[in-house]
Amino acid sequence: MNEIHLRVYTNRSELVLPDGTIQYFQEGGMSQAAKIRYKKIAVELSTGYLERQILFCRDYSSNLDFLALSQAHKYFLDRLVQSVTSEVGRALVGLSIL
């Protein structure tokens, strides 16, 4: 049985899928657009974006429409919930859903 694996080179990475298909990802410095996006993300995170989102979801959870989720998203959320045990997984699932 073939397994998914990643080959990492200095100038590229290759994701090899079980069917032999290879997805190529170029490595190198960030483009100017990527630098701008990165800076915006860093500013938002440092000024409480994640905390605001968590509090919003907590305080307005009754307004969220989970029926609008696609079947694929419902499946992945169900898999996450099913993976919770008494010892591990609760925090990961909670953060993922939020």
Side-chain angles (χ1 to χ4, degrees):
M1 178 175 83
N2 291 335
E3 294 182 358
I4 192 169
H5 62 279
L6 182 67
R7 298 178 192 147
V8 179
Y9 302 93
T10 56
N11 65 341
R12 71 184 186 288
S13 295
E14 299 175 356
L15 179 63
V16 182
L17 302 175
D19 67 359
T21 304
I22 301 174
Q23 293 180 353
Y24 298 94
F25 301 92
Q26 296 301 312
E27 302 291 341
M30 283 194 275
S31 68
Q32 189 61 32
K35 289 177 185 178
I36 292 169
R37 285 192 308 273
Y38 179 83
K39 185 174 182 178
K40 181 178 179 183
I41 290 168
V43 167
E44 290 293 324
L45 288 174
S46 69
T47 58
Y49 173 82
L50 184 57
E51 291 85 358
R52 287 192 306 275
Q53 293 302 311
I54 291 170
L55 293 174
F56 177 84
C57 289
R58 181 196 69 190
D59 296 342
Y60 298 99
S61 62
S62 62
N63 294 342
L64 300 174
D65 182 11
F66 291 104
L67 296 175
L69 291 174
S70 71
Q71 279 303 116
H73 291 136
K74 289 178 186 177
Y75 170 78
F76 290 125
L77 288 173
D78 186 56
R79 293 283 309 263
L80 274 173
V81 170
Q82 296 302 321
S83 70
V84 173
T85 69
S86 61
E87 290 84 29
V88 297
R90 292 184 303 267
L92 176 62
V93 170
L95 290 172
S96 297
I97 290 173
L98 286 175

